[in-house]
Amino acid sequence: MDPNQTLAPFIRASNSVFKQMFDLEISKGQVQSEGDTFISQGFTVMVGLTGKWNGWFFLDMTQATAIKLAQIMTGEEYDTAANEEVLLAGGEVANIISGNAITDINNLQPGLNIRLSPPSIFTGEGMSMFNVRLNACSVLFQTEAGNIKINVVMKEAN
Amino acid sequence: MRGLHKDGSAIRVMAVDDSPVTRKMIKKALEPKGFEIVGEAGNGRDAINLYNKIKPDVITMDITMPIMDGLEAALAIKKLNPQQKIIMLSAMSDQDLVAKAKSWGINYFCPKPFKPDEMADIVIKVTNS
């Protein structure tokens, strides 16, 4: 699968989800080189993709942005990104973006039958994740709530 | 108030989702409009147990959940009561999944994300269907 072909549904889904869920306009995605190390802004959600193609979707933002998004979703105030509801809210946003994107991919290529695994959420300053299968390019979006970065890795299952 | 039956009683909703945040969003979307959230469950098995106790008018049911998924739980509830109104909520809505849900008698398939007003409209539509 062409990496650009893989990335496009996730870019469309990110645009649509941020607009629908948060009423946030997001900038046209800016491609950013990552190499084989993904540098976190402080709050990263990873969703596993399984099926005839498998891999991961990463949604990354600062902890302040994660708090803002959770506040919009629940109407509650939070003072730390380590709050369980902030973590779960981030997981749900990543789950919805990846679910919407995978729906597009499955509909365009019936038989791939890609499904999602539950999100894993990581928080911490200065985190970097190394993965030799990582897509060399992330896409960075600017929003009123802060910068959002996505990365998608998909390869044919062995 | 939109979330009321013609006799003035509240439309009773059970929210089933493994994410407490999503359940909170459903409550936030429905309670201010007069709907009553009469029960919540975090997986399909708990949903079936709770359903037998509270018999809601409408169930909102996530698909991907631990222990028992939403499609399996919805099928079990439809076997207990074929008239039960069920709205499936899912971040994934590919044609295969929607077709399977419809063939099992699911009343409405709502892709996530949902807007609060849309959720209220869908619950009313399904209640009156």
Side-chain angles (χ1 to χ4, degrees), chain B:
Chain B
M1 296 292 245
R2 296 159 65 202
L4 304 178
H5 289 291
K6 282 179 187 157
D7 66 4
S9 62
I11 296 173
R12 302 168 68 252
V13 180
M14 177 168 107
V16 185
D17 200 300
D18 61 335
S19 166
V21 168
T22 304
R23 299 202 301 267
K24 198 172 251 191
M25 288 169 70
I26 293 169
K27 285 175 89 165
K28 193 176 144 201
L30 298 180
E31 283 184 339
K33 296 182 173 72
F35 298 88
E36 186 184 357
I37 304 296
V38 289
E40 295 180 40
N43 65 65
R45 192 181 61 194
D46 289 351
I48 296 168
N49 292 336
L50 187 61
Y51 172 74
N52 286 315
K53 292 177 194 151
I54 63 175
K55 301 281 164 55
D57 297 313
V58 178
I59 301 171
T60 65
M61 179 86 81
D62 185 27
I63 292 189
T64 309
M65 292 187 289
I67 304 174
M68 181 189 282
D69 73 37
L71 278 173
E72 213 181 320
L75 186 62
I77 290 170
K78 282 283 187 185
K79 277 187 183 157
L80 292 169
N81 176 13
Q83 306 308 317
Q84 178 59 49
K85 307 288 175 63
I86 302 178
I87 298 166
M88 297 304 303
L89 286 176
S90 177
M92 293 197 64
S93 54
D94 47 84
Q95 290 149 6
D96 290 352
L97 208 54
V98 176
K100 191 193 255 185
K102 286 197 173 159
S103 74
W104 288 3
I106 300 306
N107 301 83
Y108 197 92
F109 196 104
C110 176
K112 289 180 184 175
F114 56 84
K115 287 205 163 187
D117 276 348
E118 284 169 359
M119 176 55 68
D121 289 344
I122 292 165
V123 175
I124 290 169
K125 184 179 167 186
V126 166
T127 304
N128 296 330
S129 64

Side-chain angles (χ1 to χ4, degrees), chain A residues 71-117:
Chain A
Q71 284 172 344
I72 296 171
M73 287 167 78
T74 66
E76 309 277 341
E77 293 289 319
Y78 304 105
D79 53 11
T80 167
N83 182 293
E84 192 185 0
E85 286 197 348
V86 177
L87 299 172
L88 290 169
E92 183 67 0
V93 176
N95 185 56
I96 293 174
I97 292 173
S98 49
N100 285 197
I102 291 302
T103 296
D104 274 0
I105 294 173
N106 283 340
N107 284 340
L108 283 170
Q109 299 184 62
L112 284 185
N113 203 26
I114 302 167
R115 293 287 177 254
L116 309 178
S117 62

Side-chain angles (χ1 to χ4, degrees), chain A residues 16-76:
Chain A
S16 136
V17 167
F18 276 94
K19 190 160 185 146
Q20 249 186 292
M21 274 182 93
F22 304 107
D23 225 357
L24 285 175
E25 290 295 338
I26 74 175
S27 67
K28 191 171 173 242
Q30 199 178 8
V31 176
Q32 196 180 56
S33 178
E34 292 282 358
D36 51 14
T37 305
F38 182 87
I39 310 290
S40 170
Q41 298 177 83
F43 188 101
T44 304
V45 187
M46 187 174 85
V47 178
L49 313 170
T50 60
K52 287 197 175 162
W53 290 80
N54 61 28
W56 296 274
F57 166 67
F58 295 91
L59 175 69
D60 179 78
M61 61 195 86
T62 64
Q63 295 183 17
T65 300
I67 290 171
K68 277 184 204 162
L69 298 184
Q71 284 172 344
I72 296 171
M73 287 167 78
T74 66
E76 309 277 341

